[in-house]
Amino acid sequence: MPGPLHGQCELVSQAEPLADIRTLEGYTEWMKGLLTFMPNGRYAVKSFATDPERNSVCAYGVFSATHSGEGGPCPPTGKSTNTDYVYVMDFDGDKIRHMTKIWNAGWAMRDLGWAA
């Protein structure tokens, strides 16, 4: 059964933790790893919009989590974040061909006690 991605779906983000991740597949693996030390990680979609003329979809959400498990950039801090993000997905037919993640990673990292 074909998946929702168009070959190697490109990912672009100017967020520091994602600087070396270039594909949506790589991003999903990164998120799986993140949830090993932030097991209560969850998101709430706040807004969703489609642009048929440009074959794109935007989703705005809030990711919430607490650094409670071993792993990550430092020992567990017990600190939490509620961090806003936006996904902009461009489609080729019914498959995602490109995704941009807009996220203020520095804010989340300070919330979690990972950065000053």
Side-chain angles (χ1 to χ4, degrees), residues 2-64:
L5 305 180
H6 188 274
Q8 277 286 37
C9 176
E10 179 185 36
L11 173 79
V12 173
S13 180
Q14 293 178 350
E16 296 86 353
L18 303 175
D20 295 330
I21 299 173
R22 301 283 182 236
T23 66
L24 188 52
E25 181 181 16
Y27 173 67
T28 58
E29 291 301 315
W30 180 83
M31 283 298 298
K32 284 196 294 191
L34 186 76
L35 293 174
T36 63
F37 54 89
M38 296 199 309
N40 72 333
R42 62 208 175 277
Y43 67 91
V45 175
K46 300 292 188 174
S47 181
F48 191 85
T50 60
D51 184 343
E53 183 179 325
R54 293 172 187 80
N55 290 331
S56 68
V57 171
C58 295
Y60 157 61
V62 177
F63 177 79
S64 302

Side-chain angles (χ1 to χ4, degrees), residues 92-116:
D92 182 4
D94 63 350
K95 298 191 182 294
I96 303 170
R97 68 169 180 78
H98 175 92
M99 186 172 95
T100 300
K101 180 171 183 172
I102 303 162
W103 173 45
N104 186 342
W107 189 286
M109 291 168 54
R110 284 188 299 278
D111 281 352
L112 293 163
W114 300 350

